[in-house]
Amino acid sequence: MSVAAPTYTADEMMAVAAARRLQDGTVCFVGIGLPSQAANLARATHAPAAVLIYESGTIGAKPARLPLSIGDGELAETADAVVSVPEIFTYWLQGGRIDVGFLGAAQIDPGGNLNSTVIGDYERPKVRLPGAGGAPEIASWCRETFVMLRQTPRTFVERVDFLTTVGRPRGGGAGVTCVVTDLGLLEPDAETGELVMTELYAEVTADDAQQATGWDLAVAADPRSVEPPTTEELDALRALEPVAGETVVS
Amino acid sequence: MSVAAPTYTADEMMAVAAARRLQDGTVCFVGIGLPSQAANLARATHAPAAVLIYESGTIGAKPARLPLSIGDGELAETADAVVSVPEIFTYWLQGGRIDVGFLGAAQIDPGGNLNSTVIGDYERPKVRLPGAGGAPEIASWCRETFVMLRQTPRTFVERVDFLTTVGRPRGGGAGVTCVVTDLGLLEPDAETGELVMTELYAEVTADDAQQATGWDLAVAADPRSVEPPTTEELDALRALEPVAGETVVS
Amino acid sequence: MAEILPLGEAVRELVHDGDVVALEGFTHLIPYAAGHEVIRQGRRDLTLVRMTPDVVYDQLIGMGCARKLVFSWGGNPGVGSLHRLRDAVEHDWPGPLELEEHSHAGMAAGYWAGASGFPFGIVRGYDGTDLVEHTRVEPITCPFTGERVAAVPAIRPDVGIVHAQQADEAGNVQLWGISGVQKEAVLSSRRALVTVEEVVPVLEPRPTAVFLPGWTITAVCLAPGGARPSYAHGYYDRDNAFYLRWDEVSRDRDRFREWMAEHVVEREVSPV
Amino acid sequence: MAEILPLGEAVRELVHDGDVVALEGFTHLIPYAAGHEVIRQGRRDLTLVRMTPDVVYDQLIGMGCARKLVFSWGGNPGVGSLHRLRDAVEHDWPGPLELEEHSHAGMAAGYWAGASGFPFGIVRGYDGTDLVEHTRVEPITCPFTGERVAAVPAIRPDVGIVHAQQADEAGNVQLWGISGVQKEAVLSSRRALVTVEEVVPVLEPRPTAVFLPGWTITAVCLAPGGARPSYAHGYYDRDNAFYLRWDEVSRDRDRFREWMAEHVVEREVSPV
């Protein structure tokens, strides 16, 4: 990986970049993998009052180590409350109470639309992906949605094979406001809504980003440079890792 | 009261008559007052496995004494489960899981339709009554509904002033299947649905019943005679009474 | 994040003339102290929402705070009528009172919809009743089965007020026992005020507990005994004798006003 | 009232070829033992319903039990694909698999409606997505605001199957920890089968507990360890290593079949 400095991985850079964007007290709707790393890193560093909600029904979970699945017992034990799944998706998510939702995806298009359903044709897919899960309503009803995925020409596509999640939905939230990749960050243009590369990691160039994108990428005139992870951030992130032999594969 | 033998009151006769109709294991939706007396009497005598659900959200309440209000602490303490009011009315009542619902009313008509809203005109009522409460959906979604009220020309009327609760609704249940009064019991005719006086208490005549009814009352050809309360029934019923000074006025 | 405020200040900030206000508590944990503070501050033209208006609503209505009542069952539980409610409806005293009434299932569906951000909730009911002509309910047809069900509008109060047993310093709230529609009243409201029996260092998880995060609440107010004469599970019992006495007190307009002056208006604490 | 039955007998009586069957458990308390018994009894043409099909559904699908899958997210949590599910969808092996897919909010609304006796549930969603073209969802218009929301059909399985920590002798069931849609799966189903870790004399009320009365359940089966390799809060932890191993085992059709023969079909107990 051209962007990975010897002391941290691309995933660590992504988790750190996302974590920095969370303010203290932010209420987050979190999935497993990078989003969970980012939200828990924020909680362990500058945002101790961040509230983590997992779709399994745990509100205010405070795991000491990263959960291995979305319904991990650690989440229930450390949560302020455990509610049913129907309640999480009604009173809490569609009720419009969440500040930031996190999503992954297999594909994203310039409008921030996401595909997590199939690669290829729906009826005869090349790759059958897991499906929608909570994504469509997360993007519609959280005030903001952060997407985290690796930037490649196969993932950043002109047109998604299947539109699972609308990037700028008509719901109560702003939709996708930030895409965190292994090269930097993209944000939607205030007028057109098209994703613009606004921040780049150390040693990443605008040309690197264009090469990794399946459309004619807009790059900000003077993209901000993202500071590499600090020692404090890396220590905190690594302290969250599950015990050896139980690595989370995200 | 012409029907009250010296050893028991009309209310006691009503509670006993209703209790006898509850089979063991019956799941009952119960309100405060006579219904609560009847259901708890059944539980204390021949139907120890009867399940009492109060609309306050208590499932399987087993009060040792009669609750003084529908949300009495005793109900929560003795219940198998306490759920929210929205859940009681969705998963439990409209879900069609209740065998017998109990209702009172200010007026009833020959079709078993009930009024608990107003006496007189709605906009300028003579008497403003408490309103619908749980009644309309209880009558629609319990398998059977028992109504308990005193029989007088003012309560048994040709036409209710306000139709709060439909006697034979299009819901999943049979609607009003039994009306327990201070004179005896009425049941709907299998064909026409009109209420027929099918049982009379000791010393009550068909003519007494007609005199107490505001319409031309159908009386069964050979109405069954209801046995007076037994000593066991009266003892059990009186043992349920709240402590002195806290009498329930129903 | 909830602010912990004195009750007087919280009511002053949260409850305005003309607001839609829901005080909930299904027999248990009825927020009397907060209701009395609304009376003391002389709020007017309120639309009062509550599934089971009982004595505290009788008091608010009799003191002229309400323009409209949205409800499903209005009575003095186990006792009889609410005389002030009846006087307002039957004789426009102290002023006319508009009514919007539902069944319990309908009100519960309205709160559920409000808490969920939905514009309406559904009930399999109302059909064939006279309620249809006198309330806000519309038939909708299931697009899969053709069945007609009733839509009831979401309840979205300006202010939701409930009483709970405990809060912590961060304004998180826990209540237990019969929980009624309190969670929904808080989550469906634009602003939420919660009075509590006590503020504790840690909210211990309990059976039947409902937890409300501080970030769903606007103000938490310490009000020990704030549910009297109703009860607070684990703290005090219902004052059943009071409910019987209320039947006497409230029958007469003058006696009602005298009682309220003595026990509510001229006091800073809730009568027991 | 629930009968306490051996698992084999309960599955024989409750689960028939062609049934709509929901096995629920949101990561926690996944009813593996019951799923394996369905496989051992060779059920066919099932419509399998589950919000989060994971390894036990991969096994049911790979063993040819299913004709259709109704779901919202199908994967091996934290690991990756379900290879048997993919093989069925991508290559019709061991047979074609019809899909009906929703969002989580849509599935949850379907269960909620099923448990409530409603013909449909509502979601503010689906609009603008390609899901609309490939699933059972219809727009309905709010009669009060004019807002369009999505109606999803009620989920009403023939059989709902969940695993819980405890039952009592009367067949009442209690589960605690993350409870997912288990209550809804039981209450929305015509018949309900609950496997439990143990039968205890008294179900002690606990924080976060979900109680299911015996009269809502058809059969209760003692199946200690019946959620392995998922976990049972308070009893045993999730076997995360197994989920990683499954990725290997399930990639190859022959290896999958051998593994199933050895660990499921020829055993009377669930593999750990």
Side-chain angles (χ1 to χ4, degrees):
Chain A
M1 294 276 330
S2 64
V3 297
T7 53
Y8 58 93
T9 68
D11 274 1
E12 286 173 335
M13 183 69 244
M14 290 172 73
V16 166
R20 287 176 185 162
R21 291 183 78 98
L22 293 177
Q23 298 182 335
D24 200 16
T26 299
V27 180
C28 308
F29 203 91
V30 190
I32 289 303
L34 278 173
S36 186
Q37 286 183 40
N40 279 294
L41 173 58
R43 207 171 54 76
T45 53
H46 65 281
V51 178
L52 274 54
I53 298 183
Y54 289 81
E55 66 191 13
S56 52
T58 54
I59 296 173
K62 291 168 277 289
R65 309 182 76 86
L66 287 178
L68 293 151
S69 83
I70 204 145
D72 212 78
E74 168 97 345
L75 297 177
E77 276 157 19
T78 63
D80 292 324
V82 180
V83 303
S84 75
V85 162
E87 181 176 323
I88 274 288
F89 284 99
T90 50
Y91 293 179
W92 301 91
L93 179 58
Q94 294 182 81
R97 278 167 238 293
I98 320 266
D99 296 313
V100 176
F102 281 95
L103 294 176
Q107 293 181 327
I108 187 169
D109 77 10
N113 296 307
L114 306 177
N115 173 18
S116 52
T117 303
V118 288
I119 302 297
D121 177 61
Y122 184 80
E123 298 299 334
R124 186 52 61 184
K126 186 154 161 280
V127 181
R128 173 66 224 194
L129 302 164
E137 286 77 28
I138 288 172
S140 288
W141 298 108
C142 293
R143 292 191 183 90
E144 296 188 67
T145 299
F146 294 178
V147 180
M148 301 182 76
L149 82 170
R150 300 284 183 120
Q151 196 164 353
T152 75
R154 287 188 352 184
T155 56
F156 278 61
V157 295
E158 186 68 46
R159 192 182 158 80
V160 291
D161 290 2
F162 189 98
L163 203 167
T164 312
T165 300
V166 179
R168 293 172 76 79
R170 61 161 193 132
V176 174
T177 56
C178 177
V179 182
V180 179
T181 81
D182 52 341
L183 302 181
L185 274 66
L186 299 91
E187 295 171 285
D189 180 87
E191 281 177 30
T192 66
E194 183 174 323
L195 291 172
V196 177
M197 198 92 211
T198 53
E199 303 193 16
L200 294 170
Y201 299 148
E203 296 174 45
V204 177
T205 66
D207 192 53
D208 291 337
Q210 176 60 74
Q211 293 298 323
T213 304
W215 70 77
D216 189 11
L217 180 70
V219 179
D222 188 14
R224 293 184 293 277
S225 180
V226 180
E227 291 296 313
T230 65
T231 307
E232 290 74 18
E233 287 169 329
L234 284 175
D235 287 351
L237 186 56
R238 289 168 186 168
L240 290 168
E241 284 297 312
V243 287
E246 301 184 314
T247 315
V248 175
V249 182
S250 61
Chain B
M1 296 274 329
S2 65
V3 298
T7 54
Y8 58 91
T9 67
D11 274 2
E12 286 173 335
M13 183 68 244
M14 290 173 74
V16 166
R20 288 177 184 162
R21 291 183 78 97
L22 293 177
Q23 298 183 334
D24 200 15
T26 298
V27 180
C28 308
F29 203 91
V30 190
I32 289 303
L34 277 175
S36 186
Q37 287 184 40
N40 280 294
L41 173 59
R43 207 170 54 75
T45 53
H46 65 282
V51 177
L52 275 53
I53 299 184
Y54 290 81
E55 66 192 12
S56 53
T58 55
I59 296 174
K62 291 169 277 290
R65 308 182 77 86
L66 287 179
L68 293 152
S69 83
I70 204 146
D72 211 78
E74 168 98 346
L75 296 178
E77 275 157 20
T78 63
D80 292 323
V82 180
V83 303
S84 75
V85 163
E87 181 176 323
I88 275 289
F89 284 99
T90 50
Y91 292 178
W92 301 90
L93 179 58
Q94 294 181 82
R97 276 166 240 294
I98 320 268
D99 296 313
V100 176
F102 281 95
L103 294 176
Q107 293 181 328
I108 186 168
D109 77 10
N113 298 306
L114 306 177
N115 173 18
S116 52
T117 303
V118 288
I119 301 297
D121 177 61
Y122 184 80
E123 297 301 334
R124 186 52 59 186
K126 187 154 160 278
V127 182
R128 173 65 224 196
L129 302 165
E137 286 76 28
I138 288 172
S140 288
W141 299 108
C142 294
R143 292 192 184 90
E144 296 187 67
T145 299
F146 294 178
V147 180
M148 300 181 77
L149 83 171
R150 300 283 184 120
Q151 195 164 353
T152 76
R154 287 189 351 183
T155 57
F156 277 61
V157 296
E158 186 69 44
R159 191 183 158 80
V160 291
D161 290 2
F162 189 97
L163 204 168
T164 312
T165 301
V166 179
R168 294 173 75 79
R170 59 159 196 135
V176 175
T177 56
C178 177
V179 181
V180 179
T181 80
D182 51 341
L183 301 181
L185 274 65
L186 300 90
E187 295 170 285
D189 180 87
E191 281 175 31
T192 66
E194 184 175 321
L195 291 173
V196 177
M197 199 93 211
T198 54
E199 303 192 16
L200 294 170
Y201 299 148
E203 296 173 46
V204 177
T205 67
D207 191 55
D208 292 337
Q210 176 60 73
Q211 294 296 324
T213 304
W215 71 78
D216 188 10
L217 179 69
V219 180
D222 188 14
R224 292 184 294 277
S225 179
V226 180
E227 290 297 312
T230 65
T231 307
E232 290 73 20
E233 286 169 330
L234 285 175
D235 288 350
L237 186 57
R238 289 167 185 169
L240 289 168
E241 284 298 310
V243 287
E246 301 183 315
T247 314
V248 175
V249 183
S250 60
Chain C
M1 190 56 65
E3 263 191 289
I4 299 186
L5 292 176
L7 180 55
E9 190 177 337
V11 167
R12 202 166 300 117
E13 287 190 14
L14 269 65
V15 185
H16 313 128
D17 286 354
D19 274 354
V20 178
V21 183
L23 285 80
E24 283 292 354
F26 208 88
T27 307
H28 179 211
L29 294 174
I30 299 176
Y32 273 89
H36 289 169
E37 186 59 32
V38 170
I39 291 170
R40 273 192 294 273
Q41 295 195 14
R43 288 291 171 282
R44 286 293 176 273
D45 294 322
L46 301 179
T47 292
L48 291 177
V49 182
R50 179 169 166 76
M51 288 185 69
T52 53
D54 69 338
V55 171
V56 72
Y57 269 40
D58 214 33
Q59 295 171 341
L60 283 154
I61 291 164
M63 294 299 283
C65 301
R67 181 186 72 72
K68 179 177 175 181
L69 177 67
V70 181
F71 76 112
S72 42
W73 192 90
N76 184 342
V79 178
S81 289
L82 292 176
H83 299 291
R84 295 296 99 226
L85 167 58
R86 282 187 56 183
D87 205 11
V89 175
E90 296 168 13
H91 311 107
D92 290 349
W93 192 92
L97 183 70
E98 187 185 338
L99 297 184
E100 175 185 331
E101 61 186 302
H102 289 274
S103 67
H104 278 348
M107 282 286 280
Y111 273 120
W112 172 86
S116 303
F118 299 150
F120 65 94
I122 55 182
V123 183
R124 289 170 93 192
Y126 288 89
D127 199 38
T129 73
D130 288 343
L131 274 173
V132 175
E133 304 298 318
H134 295 94
T135 193
R136 295 175 66 211
V137 61
E138 296 288 342
I140 53 173
T141 302
C142 172
F144 307 104
T145 65
E147 181 184 342
R148 261 170 49 133
V149 302
V152 294
I155 295 172
R156 297 298 313 267
D158 295 308
V159 196
I161 301 178
V162 303
H163 185 73
Q165 283 100 332
Q166 296 179 340
D168 65 18
E169 299 286 353
N172 299 303
V173 163
Q174 189 167 260
L175 59 93
W176 62 92
I178 289 170
S179 63
V181 288
Q182 281 102 307
K183 180 187 268 190
E184 291 76 15
V186 166
L187 297 183
S188 65
S189 293
R190 289 172 182 82
R191 303 184 290 280
L193 189 164
V194 184
T195 54
V196 295
E197 289 297 323
E198 57 175 337
V199 175
V200 296
V202 175
L203 298 170
E204 294 293 344
R206 289 166 185 271
T208 79
V210 168
F211 178 91
L212 289 162
W215 45 274
T216 64
I217 298 168
T218 319
V220 169
C221 309
L222 187 60
R228 290 184 197 273
S230 80
Y231 74 106
H233 201 119
Y235 288 77
Y236 44 85
D237 291 334
R238 189 167 189 265
D239 183 356
N240 291 299
F242 174 88
Y243 281 85
L244 287 166
R245 278 205 311 278
W246 185 253
D247 192 65
E248 298 294 314
V249 167
S250 61
R251 276 177 193 272
D252 181 79
R253 292 173 184 173
D254 291 336
R255 188 163 167 207
F256 162 75
R257 282 192 157 161
E258 281 161 27
W259 192 95
M260 289 299 291
E262 181 183 344
H263 293 89
V264 176
V265 179
E266 290 159 14
R267 290 170 74 123
E268 282 304 301
V269 293
S270 175
V272 176
Chain D
M1 189 54 66
E3 264 190 288
I4 299 186
L5 292 177
L7 179 55
E9 190 178 336
V11 167
R12 203 166 299 119
E13 286 189 14
L14 270 65
V15 185
H16 313 127
D17 287 355
D19 274 353
V20 178
V21 183
L23 285 80
E24 282 294 353
F26 208 87
T27 307
H28 179 211
L29 294 173
I30 299 175
Y32 273 89
H36 289 168
E37 186 59 31
V38 170
I39 291 170
R40 274 193 293 273
Q41 295 195 15
R43 289 289 171 283
R44 288 292 176 272
D45 295 323
L46 301 178
T47 292
L48 292 176
V49 182
R50 180 169 165 75
M51 288 187 67
T52 53
D54 70 337
V55 171
V56 70
Y57 269 41
D58 213 33
Q59 296 171 341
L60 283 154
I61 291 164
M63 293 300 283
C65 301
R67 182 186 72 71
K68 179 176 175 181
L69 178 67
V70 181
F71 75 112
S72 42
W73 191 90
N76 184 342
V79 178
S81 290
L82 292 176
H83 299 293
R84 296 296 99 227
L85 167 57
R86 283 187 55 184
D87 206 11
V89 174
E90 295 169 13
H91 310 108
D92 289 350
W93 191 93
L97 183 69
E98 187 185 337
L99 297 183
E100 175 184 331
E101 60 185 303
H102 290 274
S103 67
H104 277 348
M107 282 284 281
Y111 273 120
W112 171 86
S116 303
F118 298 150
F120 65 94
I122 56 182
V123 183
R124 288 170 94 192
Y126 287 89
D127 198 37
T129 74
D130 288 343
L131 273 173
V132 175
E133 304 298 318
H134 294 95
T135 193
R136 295 175 66 210
V137 61
E138 297 288 342
I140 53 174
T141 301
C142 173
F144 307 103
T145 65
E147 180 184 343
R148 260 170 49 133
V149 302
V152 294
I155 296 173
R156 296 298 313 267
D158 295 307
V159 196
I161 301 178
V162 303
H163 186 73
Q165 283 101 332
Q166 295 179 340
D168 65 17
E169 298 286 352
N172 299 303
V173 163
Q174 189 166 261
L175 59 93
W176 62 92
I178 288 170
S179 63
V181 287
Q182 280 102 305
K183 181 187 267 191
E184 290 76 14
V186 165
L187 297 183
S188 65
S189 294
R190 289 172 182 83
R191 302 183 290 280
L193 190 164
V194 183
T195 54
V196 295
E197 289 296 323
E198 57 175 338
V199 175
V200 297
V202 175
L203 298 170
E204 294 293 344
R206 290 165 184 272
T208 80
V210 168
F211 178 90
L212 289 162
W215 45 274
T216 64
I217 298 167
T218 320
V220 169
C221 308
L222 186 60
R228 288 185 197 273
S230 80
Y231 74 106
H233 202 117
Y235 287 77
Y236 44 86
D237 291 334
R238 190 168 189 263
D239 183 356
N240 291 299
F242 174 86
Y243 281 85
L244 287 166
R245 277 205 311 277
W246 185 253
D247 192 65
E248 298 294 314
V249 167
S250 62
R251 276 177 193 271
D252 180 78
R253 292 174 183 174
D254 291 337
R255 189 165 166 206
F256 162 75
R257 283 191 158 163
E258 280 161 27
W259 191 95
M260 290 298 291
E262 182 183 343
H263 294 89
V264 177
V265 179
E266 290 159 14
R267 290 171 74 125
E268 283 302 302
V269 293
S270 175
V272 178

